[in-house]
Amino acid sequence: YRLSWAYSLVCLMVCLVPVTRANATLTSSTIFSFDRTTNSGGVVESNGFLFGTLTNTSLSYGGAIYRVSVNGGGVDGRDLQIIYQLNGDKDQDGYVPAAGLLVGSDEYLYGSTIYGARRTVFNLKDGTGTLFRVKQDGTEFKTLHRFNSNTTSTADNLLSNSDGMYPSFPLIEDKNNPGIFYGVTTYGGVNGTGVIFSI
């Protein structure tokens, strides 16, 4: 008898859960509309702001890192704010940050560029991608790694190198070892088909 009541109670609870969820109302609102730029790698949230990357800010510049308030209106009432403009002609900045960003445990933003410099699109000697970090206010931008530009051809006519080429996906941080980051490249490595790397 007691078992029957318990069974009936469990069934009633299970039946009520979908009804509650079905009656929930979802809402969507636009925080910011892009204009003549490319929102490339998605956004990450930190301290009330959304951070992301743009790839096509101009031909000479290598893209940009921006932030906008989660409530819209940008910073201090302004719209989306460019916190750092990459210069594709500077060796240290890299070119085309297409993968998006990661907020590290140290609160820095971490990301990558596909090319080492604007010239890299036509000449691999300038690098096959970079990894960088920058503070959330756009200061202290630093290139952490430049992927090896010394390449050879594989038997399948793919370009291979020692540490991969063209990092095109967001980094992740090791939860058990903060400060260690992992990522993948699209090409390069021993077989010319990409690598998983750590830094």
Side-chain angles (χ1 to χ4, degrees):
Y1 181 73
R2 289 181 184 172
L3 225 80
S4 176
W5 272 104
Y7 180 75
S8 298
L9 184 59
V10 169
C11 288
L12 179 62
M13 291 172 64
V14 169
C15 290
L16 288 177
V17 171
V19 173
T20 304
R21 289 182 179 174
N23 291 335
T25 302
L26 300 176
T27 59
S28 174
S29 61
T30 299
I31 293 175
F32 181 83
S33 294
F34 291 92
D35 180 23
R36 296 185 181 181
T37 55
T38 300
N39 177 22
S40 57
V43 293
V44 293
E45 187 277 333
S46 181
N47 301 315
F49 293 100
L50 301 175
F51 295 87
T53 57
L54 304 171
T55 56
N56 298 332
T57 50
S58 76
L59 180 62
S60 61
Y61 290 107
I65 301 167
Y66 69 83
R67 72 177 177 181
V68 64
S69 169
V70 295
N71 299 315
V75 184
D76 298 328
R78 299 192 302 273
D79 288 333
L80 177 143
Q81 179 188 27
I82 301 295
I83 61 170
Y84 189 81
Q85 176 74 63
L86 284 77
N87 188 332
D89 288 330
K90 288 171 64 178
D91 290 338
Q92 67 266 28
D93 273 10
Y95 188 64
V96 186
L101 301 168
L102 163 75
V103 180
S105 57
D106 57 3
E107 295 295 311
Y108 277 83
L109 302 172
Y110 289 83
S112 62
T113 64
I114 295 178
Y115 304 109
R118 183 168 65 94
R119 300 179 300 272
T120 305
V121 179
F122 309 104
N123 189 344
L124 292 180
K125 73 178 181 65
D126 290 310
T128 56
T130 68
L131 302 176
F132 64 81
R133 79 173 184 183
V134 63
K135 292 186 79 170
Q136 293 186 20
D137 62 1
T139 60
E140 296 185 25
F141 181 92
K142 181 180 181 180
T143 297
L144 303 174
H145 179 70
R146 296 180 69 81
F147 287 86
N148 196 333
S149 58
N150 295 319
T151 60
T152 58
S153 294
T154 67
D156 296 324
N157 290 322
L158 298 172
L159 292 176
S160 68
N161 69 354
S162 60
D163 61 352
M165 302 167 56
Y166 310 136
S168 305
F169 304 94
L171 299 171
I172 62 170
E173 186 172 13
D174 191 322
K175 294 180 180 179
N176 298 317
N177 297 288
I180 303 296
F181 299 89
Y182 302 102
V184 296
T185 66
T186 308
Y187 300 102
V190 175
N191 300 312
T193 51
V195 303
I196 300 173
F197 63 84
S198 67
I199 183 171

